[in-house]
């Protein structure tokens, strides 16, 4: 028997102070082996920057008109009025502009289904078994995907790349800073926990039932989840017994490592699920095995169970007006996001699209407009939580980003106007205080190696 490594255990996030030193994003459970695939992210060089006289949408539901924000050493140094600029700081008068936290997308497949969308780039779903908890989405991420740059132009500073939804357990997701990298490790958000993609409903039973194997029904789906968790419980019990000197350590198993990481509270569940009744079943499975569902994705019927989501501390990631494309997505309403929010649950706008990720602000605007039309009165500062702080909570990085608060990473967007207008564009995007995107300066409009080659007439 050999030692077992549990990868990516959730530990306290690093207080980087603008530095890039990686906190140990994972702690081996009981092994001396090294952490696999640690983040090698290094913030880009930055200079102190004072943005003055802007409308600040803080990201936590608050707003400050005529406010200032100071970025220094990769962090937000101060937020308020009449802030004095330190010596040598870049000073920007943002009168008429809006400043928000960087947008965070909790559901992306950038890099895994890279552009151009050809079969050779289809690396997002290991559809060879209903349980592929052993795969990691990061191992398919192609950092040269041009989609990262188009998302950056839309104000996206962080994102989670997830495996696809054909499987009951699709594998681990990874949270990235939206920066250039030679490898995916250069992009990994320091200290962010892994997610585990699960899926309920039509997809697993269609894909595997069509192959003449289980599951072929929703009851088969649930049996598959429960059998896997029972196996993971046994695996974890054997590890803990061995650590007490009672028996041998079990052989290392990548699939069970991931599931055991969930049971230990180290990996966050991200569950593709549309129907309210199925989400409630998934919450009951979580209670049976003692873990928490972090976020339901594509939660078209979340508005029916907002109270239950709030009670469970589970987020719902939703579209503004995309439903009806299959039976389990049939019963959508435009007020889904604001109704979940009004119930006290964690409401999130997500994309699941290389196009949609470029306009998440407009998705939130559509939901906000639907709410106001229905008499619910949602303000821009309230809706901003759907794009920044709530996604950060979903990914376990809210102590580091998601709102304009002193000490957090300086992930900041300056918008030409109200970001919930269809005419608003991200004018400047800062990541860890470094200017990553500038609408008016091609020198700060990143281009991937692949796109450079295509534009030069190489790849077509």
């Amino acid at each position: 028997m050999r030692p077992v490594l549990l990868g990516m255990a959730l530990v306290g996030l690093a207080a980087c102070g603008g530095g890039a030193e990686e906190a140990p994003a994972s702690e081996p459970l009981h092994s001396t082996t090294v952490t696999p695939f640690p983040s090698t992210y290094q913030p880009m060089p930055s200079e102190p920057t004072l943005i003055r006289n802007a409308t600040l949408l803080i990201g936590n539901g608050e707003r400050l008109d005529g406010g200032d924000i100071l970025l220094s050493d990769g962090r937000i140094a101060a937020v308020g009025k009449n802030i004095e600029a330190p010596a040598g700081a870049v000073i920007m008068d943002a009168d008429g502009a809006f400043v928000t936290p960087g947008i965070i997308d909790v559901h992306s497949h950038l890099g895994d289904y890279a552009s151009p969308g050809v079969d050779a780039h289809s690396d997002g779903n290991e559809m060879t078994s209903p349980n592929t908890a052993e795969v990691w989405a990061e191992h398919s991420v192609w950092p040269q995907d041009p989609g990262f740059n188009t998302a950056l132009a839309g104000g996206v500073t962080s994102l989670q790349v997830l495996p696809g939804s054909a499987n009951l357990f699709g594998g681990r997701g990874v949270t990235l800073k939206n920066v250039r990298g030679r490898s995916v490790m250069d992009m990994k958000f320091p200290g962010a926990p892994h997610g585990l993609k699960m899926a309920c409903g039509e997809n697993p039973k269609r894909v595997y039932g069509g192959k003449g194997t289980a599951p072929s029904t929703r009851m088969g789906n649930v049996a598959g989840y429960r059998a896997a968790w029972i196996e993971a419980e046994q695996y974890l019990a054997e590890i803990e017994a061995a650590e007490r000197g009672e028996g041998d350590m079990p052989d290392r198993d990548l699939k069970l490592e991931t599931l055991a990481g969930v049971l230990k509270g180290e990996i966050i569940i991200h569950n593709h699920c549309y129907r309210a009744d199925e989400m409630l079943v998934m919450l009951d499975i979580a209670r049976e095995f003692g873990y928490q569902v972090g976020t339901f994705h594509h939660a078209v019927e979340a508005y029916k169970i907002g109270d239950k989501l709030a009670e469970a501390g589970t987020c719902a990631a939703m579209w503004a007006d995309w439903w009806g494309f299959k039976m389990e997505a049939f019963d959508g309403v435009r007020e889904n996001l604001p109704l979940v929010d009004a119930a006290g649950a964690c409401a999130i706008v997500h994309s699941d699209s290389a196009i949609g990720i470029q306009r998440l602000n407009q998705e939130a605007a559509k939901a906000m407009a639907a709410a106001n039309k229905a008499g619910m009165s949602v303000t821009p500062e309230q809706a901003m939580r759907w794009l920044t702080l709530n996604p950060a909570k979903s990914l376990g990085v809210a102590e580091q980003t998601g709102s304009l608060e002193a000490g957090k990473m300086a992930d900041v967007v300056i918008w030409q106007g109200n970001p919930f207008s269809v005419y608003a564009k991200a004018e400047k995007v800062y990541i860890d205080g470094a200017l990553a995107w500038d609408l008016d300066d091609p020198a700060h409009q990143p281009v991937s190696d692949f796109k450079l080659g295509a534009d030069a007439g190489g790849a077509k």
Side-chain angles (χ1 to χ4, degrees):
M1 299 292 179
R2 57 177 183 265
V4 175
L5 171 68
L6 264 186
M8 294 303 292
L10 171 58
V11 297
L13 296 176
C16 298
E21 189 170 345
E22 161 68 334
S26 57
E27 289 271 343
L29 183 64
H30 57 86
S31 168
T32 58
T33 48
V34 298
T35 298
F37 317 106
S39 171
T40 53
Y41 172 73
Q42 294 286 332
M44 294 179 285
S46 62
E47 52 190 351
T49 302
L50 177 62
I51 304 167
R52 280 181 166 159
N53 201 29
T55 299
L56 306 182
L57 302 181
I58 305 300
N60 60 0
E62 299 176 357
R63 171 185 182 132
L64 179 62
D65 292 312
D68 303 343
I69 180 169
L70 175 63
L71 317 181
S72 181
D73 294 327
R75 295 276 161 171
I76 297 172
V79 177
K81 291 193 174 184
N82 303 315
I83 296 174
E84 290 194 12
V90 174
I91 301 174
M92 299 178 54
D93 185 352
D95 184 23
F98 280 61
V99 175
T100 72
I103 291 175
I104 301 170
D105 190 2
V106 301
H107 194 121
S108 176
H109 300 294
L110 289 181
D112 279 10
Y113 290 114
S115 298
V118 296
D119 288 346
H121 286 173
S122 182
D123 292 311
N125 208 157
E126 184 60 41
M127 293 188 287
T128 52
S129 168
N131 184 352
T132 58
E134 70 274 18
V135 305
W136 296 19
E138 64 195 72
H139 297 147
S140 284
V141 170
W142 184 43
Q144 295 300 324
D145 184 352
F148 289 115
N149 296 327
T150 51
L152 181 63
V156 174
T157 55
S158 297
L159 64 155
Q160 177 177 230
V161 178
L162 286 165
S165 56
N167 309 337
L168 302 176
F169 299 91
R172 298 194 193 197
V174 62
T175 298
L176 305 177
K177 302 282 283 194
N178 193 8
V179 297
R180 286 166 286 182
R182 291 187 298 178
S183 72
V184 68
M185 286 81 80
D186 289 346
M187 304 170 72
K188 289 178 73 170
F189 195 115
H194 270 149
L196 171 61
K197 177 71 176 290
M198 294 180 65
C200 55
E202 295 179 20
N203 285 11
K205 75 187 189 78
R206 183 190 71 245
V207 171
Y208 293 99
K211 296 178 180 179
T213 185
S216 65
T217 61
R218 284 183 164 85
M219 58 185 171
N221 286 352
V222 173
Y225 308 130
R226 298 178 77 204
W229 291 123
I230 289 169
E231 190 176 5
E233 283 184 326
Q234 179 62 31
Y235 183 69
L236 192 55
E238 291 176 6
I239 291 173
E240 292 172 347
E243 289 174 335
R244 296 192 301 269
E246 302 170 3
D248 295 329
M249 193 66 74
D251 288 337
R252 187 179 181 192
D253 186 308
L254 293 176
K255 182 185 300 180
L256 293 175
E257 280 184 9
T258 295
L259 299 182
V262 173
L263 296 179
K264 290 179 64 66
E266 298 163 348
I267 295 174
I268 300 173
I269 291 290
H270 291 273
N271 200 151
H272 159 121
C273 212
Y274 291 81
R275 282 185 1 194
D277 62 308
E278 288 196 278
M279 286 186 263
L280 294 177
V281 168
M282 298 308 289
L283 290 178
D284 258 18
I285 294 171
R287 278 190 285 272
E288 179 181 4
F289 293 96
Y291 65 88
Q292 182 171 7
V293 179
T295 301
F296 285 117
H297 293 239
H298 315 338
V300 165
E301 294 187 10
Y303 66 94
K304 299 180 180 179
I305 57 168
D307 58 332
K308 297 295 185 183
L309 296 174
E311 181 181 308
T314 297
C315 296
M318 296 159 278
W319 297 294
D321 55 2
W322 192 17
W323 72 79
F325 45 87
K326 55 181 174 178
M327 286 307 300
E328 65 183 356
F330 184 76
D331 203 7
V333 298
R334 297 182 191 279
E335 299 82 3
N336 195 15
L337 269 149
L339 284 170
V340 170
D341 193 20
C346 167
I348 295 169
V349 179
H350 72 342
S351 77
D352 189 24
S353 163
I355 304 299
I357 193 173
Q358 302 171 35
R359 302 180 183 86
L360 284 170
N361 56 316
Q362 294 181 15
E363 288 297 300
K366 288 189 284 186
M368 185 170 61
N372 291 333
K373 187 176 181 180
M376 297 177 67
S377 184
V378 176
T379 63
E381 52 268 30
Q382 291 172 316
M384 186 52 60
R385 292 177 297 133
W386 306 341
L387 295 166
T388 62
L389 188 57
N390 286 353
K393 291 177 180 175
S394 166
L395 300 179
V397 296
E399 296 298 317
Q400 292 292 302
T401 190
S403 59
L404 303 179
E405 297 178 89
K408 287 195 172 183
M409 292 172 169
D411 298 340
V412 173
V413 183
I414 302 177
W415 302 86
Q416 292 174 318
N418 187 328
F420 299 104
S421 164
V422 294
Y423 300 107
K425 293 182 179 179
E427 185 171 348
K428 297 183 190 300
V429 180
Y430 296 86
I431 297 180
D432 288 309
L435 182 58
W437 166 263
D438 189 329
L439 184 63
D440 300 317
D441 183 1
H444 288 94
Q445 297 175 3
V447 180
S448 73
D449 292 354
F450 175 81
K451 193 70 167 53
L452 279 173
D455 288 348
K460 298 292 185 183

